[in-house]
Amino acid sequence: MSGVMKRMKLIFQAKANKALDKYEDPRETLDLSYQKQLELLQKVRRGVADVATSRKRLELQMKGLQDQSDKHETQARRALEVGREDLAREALSRRGGIQQQITDLQTQYTALQAEEEKLTRASQSLQAKVDAFRTKKETIKATYTAAEATTRIGEAFSGISEEMSDVGMAIQRAEDKTLQLQARGSAIDELLASGALNDPTGMAKDDITAELERLSSGSDVDNQLEAMKRELAGGPSANANRQLEAGNAVGNASNTGVSDAEEIRKEGEAR
């Protein structure tokens, strides 16, 4: 069971790291780190200031004690001058206690001074590191921004290339369809020129048939024209002969009609 839990933990960590990598901006991480370094530097500087303040306070205390020591020494001298050795002894005794305090403060002052120097060096070193980190941070940020812009441009070009591929296919389809329409239009023009689309029955004649019919029609007209010319060249006799022939034809038709009527009458009487 522990092995399964370890695997699940590793998988969860891997998924979490992948998600964090997706949303993490190195520039923001660098800025945050720089901000923390500035805060640390500020703490070191406050420490230096606090030590310097304590040192300065000790200096003031030692100066005050030294003034008291000098005052007791003066009092002791004056007491001896007036023959008061006991007062002089008391003044020197007090001066001795003050000198012991000054010695103790001097020890603390030396320790604070050493601590102040150490913190000052640390502050200066940290300041140099923070300045170097700031320069490095800005360089990395500029490089990352340039790389990000380059990547976006590359992705844009990649997208444009894919889009242009689709556009190329669309253009090819449009060209093919245009050629198809042009071919169809040319075919319709040829059919219209041949007259095939003008005949609703579909019995349109091709060019050779139409030409042959025109030649035949022309020959008939020429024959009729020659016959008229010959009739006109025959004069009045030809016209009389045509009239005589027409009269004979009428008479024959009349005789035929009378004979037919007589036969019908006879058949009726016989009945």
Side-chain angles (χ1 to χ4, degrees):
M1 185 64 180
S2 60
V4 175
M5 294 298 296
K6 288 181 179 180
R7 287 186 61 190
M8 291 180 63
K9 183 178 180 181
L10 290 175
I11 293 173
F12 178 77
Q13 290 178 349
K15 296 290 185 181
N17 289 332
K18 186 176 181 180
L20 290 175
D21 289 339
K22 181 179 179 180
Y23 293 103
E24 181 184 8
D25 189 341
R27 293 167 295 187
E28 296 177 354
T29 303
L30 290 173
D31 288 337
L32 180 60
S33 178
Y34 178 69
Q35 185 64 34
K36 289 182 177 180
Q37 290 183 21
L38 289 178
E39 293 175 358
L40 178 61
L41 179 61
Q42 190 65 26
K43 289 181 179 179
V44 173
R45 287 176 176 175
R46 283 199 297 266
V48 174
D50 292 340
V51 172
T53 301
S54 298
R55 178 182 58 79
K56 191 64 177 178
R57 186 181 298 112
L58 288 179
E59 287 180 357
L60 294 175
Q61 289 178 0
M62 285 188 298
K63 184 178 182 304
L65 291 174
Q66 186 63 43
D67 291 341
Q68 292 180 14
S69 177
D70 294 342
K71 180 180 178 181
H72 287 309
E73 184 180 2
T74 301
Q75 290 175 348
R77 290 179 183 277
R78 288 178 181 177
L80 287 176
E81 290 175 356
V82 298
R84 296 292 303 273
E85 183 177 350
D86 56 338
L87 293 178
R89 185 182 299 277
E90 181 64 23
L92 291 176
S93 177
R94 292 181 178 180
R95 180 179 180 273
I98 292 174
Q99 285 298 123
Q100 183 61 42
Q101 293 181 24
I102 292 175
T103 301
D104 293 340
L105 289 177
Q106 184 64 44
T107 302
Q108 295 180 14
Y109 179 84
T110 302
L112 285 176
Q113 190 174 23
E115 185 69 17
E116 181 182 359
E117 291 176 356
K118 183 178 68 175
L119 290 176
T120 300
R121 290 193 299 269
S123 176
Q124 293 173 349
S125 176
L126 183 58
Q127 180 67 59
K129 291 181 179 180
V130 170
D131 292 340
F133 180 80
R134 181 184 61 183
T135 302
K136 185 68 173 178
K137 171 181 72 73
E138 295 300 326
T139 302
I140 294 175
K141 287 175 63 177
T143 304
Y144 181 85
T145 302
E148 185 181 37
T150 303
T151 302
R152 290 180 178 177
I153 293 173
E155 291 175 351
F157 273 110
S158 177
I160 291 175
S161 299
E162 294 178 358
E163 185 68 22
M164 291 303 295
S165 177
D166 296 337
V167 170
M169 295 177 63
I171 291 174
Q172 183 64 41
R173 290 194 299 269
E175 290 178 349
D176 293 341
K177 192 169 184 179
T178 300
L179 292 175
Q180 182 179 0
L181 291 175
Q182 289 177 346
R184 184 176 180 182
S186 299
I188 291 174
D189 291 340
E190 292 178 358
L191 291 174
L192 289 173
S194 65
L197 295 181
N198 294 330
D199 187 1
T201 63
M203 300 298 293
K205 301 175 181 179
D206 56 14
D207 295 341
I208 297 176
T209 303
E211 184 66 23
L212 292 173
E213 290 180 351
R214 284 196 297 272
L215 292 175
S216 177
S217 177
S219 299
D220 293 340
V221 172
D222 292 337
N223 293 332
Q224 293 177 9
L225 183 59
E226 291 296 330
M228 289 182 180
K229 288 180 179 180
R230 285 196 299 272
E231 292 176 356
L232 293 175
S237 59
N239 292 332
N241 291 330
R242 286 196 302 272
Q243 293 177 359
L244 179 60
E245 291 175 356
N248 292 333
V250 173
N252 292 331
S254 298
N255 294 331
T256 303
V258 174
S259 300
D260 292 338
E262 184 65 25
E263 290 179 359
I264 292 171
R265 185 180 62 81
K266 290 180 178 180
E267 288 179 358
E269 291 178 352
R271 292 177 184 176

